Amino acid sequence: MTTQRPKVAVVVKGWPRLSETFIAQELVALEETGYDLDLWSLRFPTDKKRHPLHERLKAPVFYLPEYLHQEPLRVLRGMLSAAAKPGFWRAAAVWLKDLKRDKTRNRVRRFGQACVLARELGDDIDLLYAHFLHTPASVTRYAAIMRQMPWSVSAHAKDIWTSPEWEKREKLQKDTFGAAFLATCTGVGARHLAELADRADRVELIYHGLDLTRFPNPPEVQPTDGPMRFLSVGRLVEKKGFDRLIAALALLPAELDWHWEHIGGGGSGKALEAEAARLGIAERITWRGACDQPEVIAAMRASDVFVLPSRIAEDGDRDGLPNVLMEAASQKLCLLSTPVSAIPEFITDGEHGVLSDDAPEALAAAMLRLAQDGALRAELAEAAYARLTASFLMQPGIVQLDQRLQSAMTADQET
């Protein structure tokens, strides 16, 4: 007997994005499970490249007005149409309550986008599902109230730790038109959000995991020939800690032959390049910029140690469980990171990798130790690969998500 799954409209902040492979992986897997999806993006793409995963998604992609003044007639039609819907004034009251506590243009834009979404959604859509608890979930929530339909959300990292508590709480309460369920990809995030929900079971831990069919088998470990090859992949933003990594690289002893390669975009690239030049290590660094998945995998296979010195930013932003750590583990690349957020849920220090303090001195000591001990690198890499294949594959999470999406239609009615 064929399972009848709901038709889902997925709301994302931007599509496609090179830094959000976990979203693309999930959506492709849902389609392969049997879901019929529509994809709605709040922003137009800015990345010049695309991952192969993006090409595999069959769902039609629709773009909401990124700024309301850019498409005034579309926004006006959306508002007039939404005003005639039975849930409009209830949604407007919720939005006005939010606006009093968040008097920003972004909050106004969210409501305008929600009106357009409520008007243009197909009548065959059964459920709205947002990725990220902040802006995408707000647009989704307002539109769902207008259309009197259930909605759900997947929360990740920045959206959890930088959103105000009142907003998170109200998106997790039935009497404030909260989500039918919230999926989140870390144990630390799940525990925090469950404390804010009216029912703990409204929140479910669903690790993204990794689809190993997208990756080649790991290469045979070869003795290092030439410089010790350190690799990092991540946006050049504060929470990734690359400023401290550059300071750490400058502390490595002169007799150590090393090279660091960085992959990823971000706004602080020029400042970091200037700092590397000031410290006299610019010639030992390659800045690759944004790369697609095949390029990232090739870099991992050619490296000796993967370094991700995550830390908590001043505004509270932090990583969740970066998928790139699992991707590096899939290629049996030795892992060096920090015990921030959910990283210890995947890496046990000294067992699956090294978790260092993010101070430059500590990072430098950890890199030197790994550079000098090839047997330790190989042992840690093997253990991380075993950890990945035993507990962090994609399919169990897709099964969980499938069950929650199917039950979301009646979840609140049954409680």
Side-chain angles (χ1 to χ4, degrees):
M1 181 177 178
T2 302
T3 301
Q4 183 64 40
R5 293 181 169 89
K7 181 167 183 179
V8 181
V10 182
V11 181
V12 296
K13 195 167 187 178
W15 181 270
R17 285 185 166 180
L18 289 175
S19 62
E20 296 175 358
T21 54
F22 56 94
I23 296 178
Q25 174 183 267
E26 176 188 287
L27 298 185
V28 169
L30 286 175
E31 284 190 332
E32 292 175 349
T33 302
Y35 278 87
D36 186 4
L37 305 177
D38 282 354
L39 187 60
W40 292 82
S41 177
L42 307 186
R43 292 184 178 178
F44 292 97
T46 56
D47 294 324
K48 296 179 181 180
K49 296 184 177 182
R50 296 166 67 96
H51 291 313
L53 264 176
H54 296 134
E55 307 300 337
R56 287 173 56 187
L57 190 74
K58 299 175 183 177
V61 182
F62 306 94
Y63 290 92
L64 293 168
E66 187 164 340
Y67 296 98
L68 303 186
H69 68 270
Q70 294 175 333
E71 298 184 72
L73 292 179
R74 187 181 177 197
V75 174
L76 178 61
R77 287 194 295 268
M79 295 190 71
L80 291 174
S81 173
K85 297 187 183 301
F88 175 79
W89 295 109
R90 184 173 290 173
V94 170
W95 170 69
L96 285 171
K97 183 180 178 183
D98 292 347
L99 183 64
K100 289 178 181 178
R101 295 170 290 186
D102 177 31
K103 298 177 181 178
T104 62
R105 291 183 178 180
N106 186 39
R107 184 66 61 174
V108 175
R109 183 164 61 247
R110 295 180 201 185
F111 192 73
Q113 289 176 318
C115 288
V116 174
L117 179 61
R119 175 180 182 266
E120 297 182 5
L121 272 178
D123 292 334
D124 57 344
I125 296 296
D126 300 305
L127 175 70
L128 292 171
Y129 173 51
H131 262 284
F132 293 109
L133 187 55
H134 47 20
T135 305
S138 292
V139 173
T140 301
R141 180 181 177 219
Y142 300 146
I145 297 171
M146 293 177 199
R147 290 283 295 257
Q148 295 186 322
M149 62 191 304
W151 70 282
S152 55
V153 58
S154 184
H156 302 288
K158 181 178 181 178
D159 52 328
I160 298 174
W161 305 113
T162 64
S163 295
E165 184 170 311
W166 63 262
E167 185 165 12
K168 291 183 285 190
R169 186 181 299 277
E170 291 181 12
K171 287 174 178 174
L172 288 167
Q173 308 281 328
K174 179 181 179 181
D175 59 3
T176 49
F177 310 102
F181 76 90
L182 178 147
T184 191
C185 52
T186 68
V188 64
R191 290 188 293 272
H192 170 70
L193 293 169
E195 292 175 354
L196 302 177
D198 55 356
R199 302 190 331 260
D201 65 354
R202 196 180 293 277
V203 176
E204 181 157 355
L205 169 61
I206 302 179
Y207 286 118
H208 294 303
L210 209 63
D211 177 9
L212 282 185
T213 64
R214 297 192 294 111
F215 296 84
N217 292 328
E220 294 293 328
V221 177
Q222 301 292 335
T224 299
D225 182 19
M228 176 59 46
R229 299 159 298 185
F230 297 109
L231 172 68
S232 299
V233 179
R235 291 178 298 126
L236 294 168
V237 294
E238 183 185 2
K239 70 178 179 180
K240 298 295 183 180
F242 294 131
D243 55 339
R244 296 184 181 178
L245 178 55
I246 287 174
L249 290 168
L251 296 175
L252 292 174
E255 62 270 19
L256 179 66
D257 189 11
W258 61 268
H259 190 88
W260 179 53
E261 183 175 356
H262 175 270
I263 292 176
S268 61
K270 295 297 183 183
L272 292 176
E273 289 184 41
E275 179 63 9
R278 187 187 72 80
L279 293 170
I281 58 173
E283 292 183 358
R284 293 186 169 198
I285 297 174
T286 299
W287 304 92
R288 295 279 302 277
C291 292
D292 60 27
Q293 191 77 58
E295 292 171 317
V296 172
I297 294 170
M300 289 176 173
R301 294 172 68 85
S303 299
D304 299 302
V305 179
F306 186 85
V307 189
L308 187 66
S310 301
R311 62 188 176 100
I312 299 176
E314 288 190 10
D315 65 356
D317 189 14
R318 68 202 73 176
D319 275 325
L321 175 51
N323 265 38
V324 71
L325 288 172
M326 290 181 274
E327 293 172 2
S330 80
Q331 300 306 297
K332 292 189 179 179
L333 182 55
C334 179
L335 305 177
L336 169 57
S337 193
T338 54
V340 169
S341 192
I343 292 173
E345 295 177 33
F346 179 57
I347 301 172
T348 299
D349 182 35
E351 184 175 344
H352 312 106
V354 174
L355 296 182
S356 166
D357 186 281
D358 66 2
E361 295 79 8
L363 288 169
M367 285 189 287
L368 179 60
R369 176 188 172 206
L370 291 172
Q372 294 176 335
D373 195 337
L376 176 61
R377 294 198 306 271
E379 178 184 338
L380 295 174
E382 286 287 347
Y385 183 78
R387 172 83 168 140
L388 169 70
T389 54
S391 303
F392 285 87
L393 296 183
M394 176 193 69
Q395 197 53 40
I398 295 300
V399 171
Q400 284 179 270
L401 184 58
D402 177 26
Q403 292 170 346
R404 293 306 297 251
L405 289 170
Q406 290 190 60
S407 64
M409 304 296 296
T410 58
D412 283 344
Q413 287 77 13
E414 294 174 352
T415 59

